[in-house]
Structures are given as structure tokens and as C-alpha cells.
Amino acid sequence: MANKQIEMRKVKKIFKLYSAGVSKRRISSQLGISRNTVSKYIAFFQR
């Protein structure tokens, strides 16, 4: 499922959890998405 977009609420949840100190692995398991996807969105907004 390469290049499949995720819902905006999941993107917001990624940042909320990441800013609260939750690990990328835990975020991915909670939201049901891959760690690479979590890393991609975090890296995109850190630029």
C-alpha cells in the first residue's frame, strides 16, 4: 500500500502523541500504521 494517504485525524494524533514523548513504535501500534509512516510525517513537519 505504498503512497496511501492517512486521515488528517491520524496525522494530528501522531503529533499529539509524539510531542507528549510517546515512542514512534507505540504510536504506530496504537494507530495501526507503520513506523515508517510515523517517521515520515514527523520528519516532514520538523523541516
Side-chain angles (χ1 to χ4, degrees):
M1 287 197 202
N3 296 326
K4 183 179 177 187
Q5 292 181 337
I6 63 173
E7 299 172 358
M8 185 53 85
R9 75 176 173 81
K10 283 190 178 182
V11 174
K12 290 178 183 178
K13 190 75 171 173
I14 288 170
F15 295 116
K16 183 177 180 181
L17 291 169
Y18 187 72
S19 64
V22 180
S23 69
K24 293 176 187 175
R25 180 174 288 189
R26 178 156 289 168
I27 294 170
S28 67
S29 67
Q30 283 183 1
L31 299 179
I33 55 179
S34 74
R35 274 187 283 157
N36 287 337
T37 302
V38 172
S39 296
K40 179 182 79 170
Y41 280 98
I42 290 170
F44 179 76
F45 285 102
Q46 285 181 339
R47 287 189 242 168

